[in-house]
């Protein structure tokens, strides 16, 4: 019978669904729970090949863990609220609710066609009231614990999406969804106090099994700075300006201060500023710029001196001018900086532009150009022009100057973070309503928990207004309500929540998705959480992953969960490119439709090609022609079984033991393959695991090989995570009653994986000069004697004395002459 993937795959998908084989039980006797999770998709309408690349190889790992004795839970769901779905629906003039649920229905079918071990009984859909009831409940817990507040703050406004964006969603000054340039506006918004967890978020990274690049990105985003907050008094005034610096060693080189346009000192000194009109004009102009524009290194820095006002440098008593400049941001540090132009490039350029003094105070290895420096030196060195601290190394001087100022009560140690509070309000329709009401008498009040969920009404006019309000503001039926405190009239909050709130806790709901009385039971959370391995794209390094960590730490502090990190292990897949090596795009015509590939070659072939095409964490071009080779391999594997002897009825999984095989060469290769595939899947090196299986199939195809039960069955067990449908079909044809996916992973015999002979690399002074065939286990002396007496090597030695021998057993020998 010819290999017919379409027939086989549908057959086994129905069988698995009917039997509930992948439905994870909370406890299975003797088995340790293993929580495996992939990032759930937006219901965009179609699974693209990038989704497949995330999900299919990750499923290989989940199946492998299951066969290694773990009780694996691998759930799936849909991140259904938010801008992606809403913008797509608006473009097609379809109501977001209808668009989203239609897409979920289609994508659910596509996901099932993969043959993954998803436990569909645990599916979560974030736009369902059964889910967002608990999103709203969690908001209320944050509010009650002082972690949610409403305030008028500078916000990133996207004129195209007509909503506010969090800083993380406007990186580079552009909207992450539509790529429009964002503008800065002051708007009343709800915020989550993620900043209060900055230190915990930073420290928690140390013990996580995450890619180091992702941890670095989070550390940089949190941006911890430890230094001194120094008080600069204002000459002939009661006021002073606090300035934060990490370089107190350069204080003697401070020749001016710069304050942000929003700094309160400008209002306090209004009567003293001689050029107030020009200062106010400058401030008004700065309001038109985005924060990104203001701090951009590409923009020329501008500013206006506050004439008639001077600050006093606390280390030498000198008066220094004060400038207002928009490159200083009020909510970074104290909103003011001390400028040391000799040792900061930005300050240097500004000082040159406005003809301000440049005083060198740290002597480094790079000369600054004599008495008139031509560039700033930002490194360490010895202090000069610094009174009693002259000659002191800069790192020591930082401490000494700090101690000296603290004794005079002119400075204090401070820690600042780049991380700002998370702005969660969205002026859009398609999101979870914020469960708050405003009463003129009682101010903001929380909706009673018994009244949750606050349902999102099915309104006709769902288009964004562009007026800074959600479309829900047009619905009087939704807005008008009763104050839960005084019983008087009140109005509901019309903003909806950022979709990242929905995805910041979904991993908790998977543990107990049908619970109607709590977001998840303590018992089930303890059974499954935290997640053992989370697989998804690196583009979420700062956004989703940071928010989820914040949620977990906050809930832990509230006593609602007993762990402080959501994802112990994290793995990123690479980016799939089009066949032309460019990012896939419909406009470029290089998008690959996985449904067409499945229809032509089968899901197992697509799964295996995605595993085989390159290192999983790197990705690369997806070439549909590559499926031809994988299809050929699967047909070869299928052919091995056409003449195989079935297992007697009732016989379970085979055990691989010495002496079971009829061919010693095959036996050795089989055990080597078991070791290789085991280690490669564990390390998510799926491409080399598939390569090892191909080598094994080629050996099993040789005319000299006589088919035997042990080698055939073991090969199938190794194939099962990659091609689950084919493996199940052939396992069944061998006479086995229980599913292959319920069997134990094969184990190798260490004695049988040893090579009798190896290629020993010969190096002279670290350069490869030859490779020789030698017995495995050769000693250093034996190897050294062989090398010294080799005619090919003698010319590299030429009678020179061997100073050192470096020997790596069974790998290389390096003679240093």
């Amino acid at each position: 019978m010819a290999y017919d993937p379409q027939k086989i795959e549908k057959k086994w998908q129905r069988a698995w669904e009917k039997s509930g084989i992948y439905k994870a039980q909370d406890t299975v006797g003797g088995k340790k729970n293993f929580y495996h999770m992939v990032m759930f998709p937006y219901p965009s309408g179609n699974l693209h090949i990038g989704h497949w690349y995330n999900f299919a190889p990750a499923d290989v790992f989940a199946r492998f863990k299951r066969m290694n004795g773990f009780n694996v839970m691998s759930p799936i769901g849909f991140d259904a609220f938010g801008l992606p779905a809403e913008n797509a629906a608006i473009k097609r003039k379809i109501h977001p609710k209808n668009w989203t649920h239609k897409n979920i229905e289609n994508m659910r079918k596509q996901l099932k066609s993969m043959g993954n071990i998803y436990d569909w009984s645990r599916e979560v859909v974030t736009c369902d009231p059964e889910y967002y009831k608990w999103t709203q409940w969690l908001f209320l817990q944050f509010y009650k614990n002082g972690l949610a507040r409403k305030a008028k703050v500078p916000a990133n406004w996207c004129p195209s999406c007509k909503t506010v964006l969090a800083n993380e969603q406007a990186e580079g000054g552009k909207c992450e969804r539509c790529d429009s340039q964002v503008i800065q506006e002051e708007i009343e918004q709800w915020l989550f106090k993620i900043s209060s967890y900055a230190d915990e978020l930073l420290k928690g990274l140390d013990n996580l099994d995450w890619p180091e690049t992702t941890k670095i990105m989070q550390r940089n985003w949190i941006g911890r700075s430890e230094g001194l907050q120094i008080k600069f008094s204002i000459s002939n005034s009661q006021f002073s300006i606090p300035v934060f610096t990490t370089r107190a060693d350069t204080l003697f080189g401070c020749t001016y201060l710069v304050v942000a346009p929003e700094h309160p000192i400008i209002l306090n000194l209004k009567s003293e500023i001689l050029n107030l009109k020009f200062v106010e004009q400058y401030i008004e102009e700065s309001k038109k710029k985005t924060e990104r524009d203001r701090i951009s290194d590409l923009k020329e820095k501008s500013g206006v001196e506050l004439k008639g006002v001077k600050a006093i440098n606390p280390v030498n008593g000198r008066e220094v001018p004060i400038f207002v400049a928009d490159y200083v941001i009020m909510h970074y540090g104290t909103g003011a900086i001390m400028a040391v132009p000799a040792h900061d490039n930005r300050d240097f350029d500004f000082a040159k532009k406005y003809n301000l003094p440049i005083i060198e105070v740290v002597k480094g290895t790079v000369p600054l150009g004599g008495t008139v420096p031509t560039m700033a030196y930002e490194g360490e060195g010895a202090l000069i022009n610094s009174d009693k601290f002259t000659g002191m190394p800069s790192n020591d001087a930082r401490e000494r100057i700090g101690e000296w100022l603290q004794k005079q009560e002119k400075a204090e140690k401070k820690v600042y973070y780049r991380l700002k509070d998370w702005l969660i309000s969205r002026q859009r329709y398609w999101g979870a309503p914020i469960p708050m009401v405003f009463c003129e008498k009682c101010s903001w009040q929380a909706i009673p928990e018994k009244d949750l969920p606050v349902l999102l009404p099915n309104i006709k006019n769902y288009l964004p207004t562009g007026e800074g309000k959600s479309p829900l503001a047009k619905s009087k039926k939704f807005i008008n309500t009763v104050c839960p405190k005084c019983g008087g009239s009140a109005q509901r909050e019309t903003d909806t929540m950022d979709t990242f709130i929905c995805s910041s806790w979904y991993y908790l709901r998977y543990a107990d998705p049908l619970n109607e009385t709590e977001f998840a039971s303590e018992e089930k959370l303890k059974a499954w959480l935290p997640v053992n391995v989370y697989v998804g794209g690196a583009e979420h390094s700062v956004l989703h992953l940071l928010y989820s960590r914040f949620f977990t730490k906050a809930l832990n502090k509230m006593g609602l969960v007993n762990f402080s990190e959501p994802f112990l292990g994290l793995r990123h897949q690479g980016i799939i490119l089009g066949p032309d090596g460019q990012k896939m795009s419909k406009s470029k015509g290089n998008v690959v439709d996985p449904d067409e590939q499945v229809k032509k070659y089968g899901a197992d072939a697509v799964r295996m090609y995605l595993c085989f095409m390159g290192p999983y964490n790197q990705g690369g071009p997806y070439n549909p022609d590559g499926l031809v080779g994988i299809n050929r391999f699967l047909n070869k594997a299928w052919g091995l079984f056409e003449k195989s002897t079935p297992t007697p009825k009732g016989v379970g999984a085979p055990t691989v033991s010495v002496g079971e095989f009829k061919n010693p060469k095959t036996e050795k290769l089989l055990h080597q393959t078991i070791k290789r595939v085991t280690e490669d899947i564990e390390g998510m090196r799926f491409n080399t695991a598939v390569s090892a299986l191909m080598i094994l199939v080629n050996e099993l195809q040789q005319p000299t090989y006589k088919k035997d039960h042990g080698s055939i069955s073991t090969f199938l067990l190794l194939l099962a995570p990659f091609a689950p449908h084919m493996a199940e079909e052939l396992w069944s044809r061998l006479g086995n009653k229980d599913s292959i996916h319920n069997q134990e992973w094969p184990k190798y015999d260490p004695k049988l994986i040893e090579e009798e002979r190896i290629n020993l690399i010969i190096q002279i002074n670290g350069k490869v000069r030859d490779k020789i065939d030698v017995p495995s286990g050769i000693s250093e002396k034996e190897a050294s004697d062989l090398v010294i007496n080799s005619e090919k090597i003698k010319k590299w030695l030429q009678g020179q004395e061997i100073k050192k021998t470096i020997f790596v057993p069974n790998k290389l020998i390096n003679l240093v002459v």
Side-chain angles (χ1 to χ4, degrees), residues 342-355:
H343 303 291
D344 182 279
N345 282 313
R346 184 181 58 180
D347 297 345
F348 182 87
D349 293 340
F350 193 90
K352 282 289 201 181
K353 181 176 179 178
Y354 292 101
N355 197 28

Side-chain angles (χ1 to χ4, degrees), residues 200-423:
E200 290 176 54
L201 288 166
L202 203 58
K203 290 174 182 175
L205 290 167
D206 294 341
N207 298 319
L208 294 179
D209 179 19
W210 286 24
E212 193 57 36
T213 51
T214 301
K215 293 203 270 188
I216 289 169
M217 286 177 73
Q218 288 212 0
R219 288 188 184 108
N220 290 342
W221 190 261
I222 295 165
R224 187 180 193 274
S225 294
E226 189 173 340
L228 280 182
Q229 187 161 297
I230 300 165
K231 183 169 73 175
F232 281 75
S233 299
I234 304 298
S235 186
N236 300 316
S237 172
Q238 61 175 325
F239 296 108
S240 61
I241 299 176
V243 171
F244 175 76
T245 181
T246 59
R247 291 296 303 267
D249 53 309
T250 65
L251 255 170
F252 284 89
C254 170
T255 58
Y256 62 99
L257 295 189
V258 184
V259 297
E262 305 85 359
H263 203 289
I265 197 69
I266 298 171
L267 187 62
N268 292 336
L269 299 175
K270 194 173 181 179
S271 61
E272 308 295 324
I273 300 171
L274 302 178
N275 58 337
L276 183 63
K277 182 180 177 181
F278 293 106
V279 170
E280 289 177 338
Q281 282 178 349
Y282 181 84
I283 292 171
E284 283 304 309
E285 285 298 314
S286 72
K287 290 179 181 178
K288 299 175 185 177
K289 298 180 183 179
T290 66
E291 184 177 307
R292 182 64 51 181
D293 284 337
R294 285 171 58 174
I295 64 176
S296 172
D297 290 332
L298 302 175
K299 306 278 185 181
E300 186 180 0
K301 303 297 178 280
S302 65
V304 175
E305 184 181 353
L306 307 184
K307 299 282 188 181
V309 179
K310 299 287 184 184
I312 299 171
N313 188 329
V315 293
N316 53 23
R318 289 179 186 161
E319 288 190 339
V320 295
I322 305 169
F323 281 75
V324 56
D326 59 17
Y327 71 84
V328 177
I329 306 299
M330 188 62 220
H331 56 82
Y332 284 8
T334 64
I337 64 163
M338 64 174 218
V340 185
H343 303 291
D344 182 279
N345 282 313
R346 184 181 58 180
D347 297 345
F348 182 87
D349 293 340
F350 193 90
K352 282 289 201 181
K353 181 176 179 178
Y354 292 101
N355 197 28
L356 298 165
I358 300 172
I359 301 172
E360 188 181 0
V361 293
V362 178
K363 196 72 176 176
T365 55
V366 180
L368 298 188
T371 55
V372 183
T374 57
M375 60 180 288
Y377 173 70
E378 297 182 331
E380 303 283 337
L383 263 61
I384 58 174
N385 301 322
S386 300
D387 199 14
K388 63 182 178 180
F389 301 99
T390 295
M392 194 176 289
S394 50
N395 57 339
D396 290 342
R398 272 195 288 280
E399 294 296 321
R400 300 292 173 267
I401 292 172
E403 291 167 0
W404 181 54
L405 289 173
Q406 286 175 80
K407 284 179 182 176
Q408 299 174 66
E409 296 185 348
K410 293 179 179 179
E412 60 178 326
K413 285 187 176 181
K414 280 275 186 177
V415 175
Y416 279 98
Y417 297 90
R418 179 176 180 262
L419 181 68
K420 301 305 169 190
D421 285 340
W422 175 12
L423 197 156

Side-chain angles (χ1 to χ4, degrees), residues 73 88 94-95 101 124 179 185 193 224 238 247 256 258 293 383-384 427 433 449 482 500 544-545 574 603 618 626 671:
M73 176 172 76
I94 302 172
H95 194 282
H101 284 285
V124 299
D179 213 33
E185 290 196 5
K193 292 182 69 176
R224 187 180 193 274
Q238 61 175 325
R247 291 296 303 267
Y256 62 99
V258 184
D293 284 337
L383 263 61
I384 58 174
Q427 292 70 43
E449 292 179 13
V482 175
F500 279 103
H544 162 59
L545 292 170
Q618 293 179 23
H671 282 262

